[in-house]
Amino acid sequence: MTQKTLEIENVSTRYGRIPMLMNVSLGIEKGRIVCVLGANGAGKTTLLKAILGMVKADTGSIRLDGENIDALPTHKRVEKGIAIAAAAAGTLQKMTVETNLKMGAYYIHDRKILNERLEEVYQSFPILKQRLQQKAGTLSGGERTMLTIARAVINKPVLLLLDEPSLGLAPIMVEETFRIIKRLNEEEKMTILLVEQNAQKALSVSHYGYVIQKGQIVFEGDKEALRSSEFIENPVCG
């Protein structure tokens, strides 16, 4: 039986009295990329917040590597190995690229390991090595996306959450971003949950996917099933 890194079962959440997620269930096998597709307001980001414990689940359960994490606060879930790269999280604008990366590795206390991880990041994101002493706020949109992802992966997470990595990027940077996502999975064997509106790009790197509408999973399947479904009609899933 294939081990699942993440298992979400019948999770429901609400903001005040407004339901946001309704009986959402999904799973990610270890070493796979799974995408969640949907339009703005469909519940994609709320799902990530529920995984991180930033939004309390009213019902259901969330398990990481078989361990129930429902009672854990956000920082404990991060310590367990969940990392997120999200445009909304931003970067420390007035600090250098190097400082941003070191802040991402805040709980790596062994200097030798930290330096090794930094070198790995520089190899994966060579543009960042060229910008180490540049303030994050002066980077281009694509470079900030690279920094956000690099800061998330420096700790070698058990599960990487990616929230709309293509948002606002020029086409050439979208291609580069998804090339990096694919490499992280294939070479680093990283397990990734990818939330995206750009369905075709998400499916180009994913092994399996879900479509969410109005807080509910309305379809799931492998990339071929999703591409041929009624829910994927345009490059951007609406």
Side-chain angles (χ1 to χ4, degrees):
M1 184 176 179
T2 305
Q3 179 184 357
K4 287 189 176 180
T5 296
L6 179 71
E7 296 172 275
I8 299 175
E9 185 174 355
N10 297 323
V11 164
S12 296
T13 69
R14 63 181 62 243
Y15 288 154
R17 295 182 178 180
I18 303 173
M20 296 301 296
L21 298 177
M22 290 168 277
N23 296 315
V24 169
S25 296
L26 62 83
I28 307 176
E29 294 178 2
K30 187 176 179 64
R32 309 282 274 182
I33 300 178
V34 168
C35 63
V36 177
L37 309 173
N40 280 334
K44 303 187 305 298
T45 298
T46 300
L47 175 63
L48 297 185
K49 288 181 177 180
I51 294 168
L52 284 165
M54 298 170 68
V55 171
K56 180 177 172 55
D58 296 321
T59 63
S61 65
I62 300 174
R63 293 184 294 277
L64 182 71
D65 279 344
E67 177 186 352
N68 188 298
I69 60 172
D70 294 336
L72 296 182
T74 298
H75 72 278
K76 290 293 185 182
R77 299 187 192 202
V78 171
E79 288 178 8
K80 290 284 185 183
I82 302 176
I84 186 168
T91 54
L92 303 171
Q93 302 289 298
K94 295 182 179 181
M95 296 186 180
T96 64
V97 168
E98 184 176 28
T99 300
N100 268 270
L101 291 171
K102 288 181 177 179
M103 290 293 287
Y106 65 92
Y107 67 79
I108 299 177
H109 303 298
D110 187 309
R111 183 174 294 275
K112 180 181 178 182
I113 294 175
L114 174 60
N115 289 335
E116 289 174 353
R117 296 284 180 84
L118 286 169
E119 282 303 318
E120 290 175 8
V121 164
Y122 300 154
Q123 290 178 18
S124 298
F125 304 86
I127 189 65
L128 296 182
K129 189 171 185 178
Q130 299 172 28
R131 304 280 192 271
L132 282 183
Q133 300 311 312
Q134 189 171 328
K135 290 184 178 179
T138 67
L139 299 176
S140 69
E143 290 166 348
R144 283 197 299 274
T145 296
M146 297 300 149
L147 178 55
T148 302
I149 296 174
R151 196 172 60 183
V153 303
I154 196 167
N155 289 311
K156 295 186 180 297
V158 171
L159 174 66
L160 174 63
L161 309 177
L162 294 175
D163 190 7
E164 305 279 11
S166 72
L167 186 65
L169 298 186
I172 190 170
M173 289 309 301
V174 171
E175 292 295 327
E176 176 66 8
T177 298
F178 278 88
R179 183 192 67 78
I180 288 172
I181 293 169
K182 187 174 182 180
R183 189 198 65 75
L184 287 171
N185 174 252
E186 292 182 347
E187 296 182 17
E188 305 293 334
K189 308 303 180 186
M190 199 166 289
T191 306
I192 299 172
L193 178 61
L194 169 63
V195 160
E196 258 293 344
Q197 287 189 70
N198 189 327
Q200 298 302 337
K201 291 307 300 180
L203 292 174
S204 72
V205 299
S206 298
H207 301 99
Y208 199 84
Y210 298 81
V211 178
I212 188 169
Q213 291 182 353
K214 297 180 180 179
Q216 295 179 295
I217 300 296
V218 296
F219 189 83
E220 66 175 276
D222 60 24
K223 63 177 67 181
E224 289 76 18
L226 280 160
R227 283 194 178 111
S228 61
S229 78
E230 62 182 299
F231 299 100
I232 310 297
E233 298 177 354
N234 301 303
V236 175
C237 183

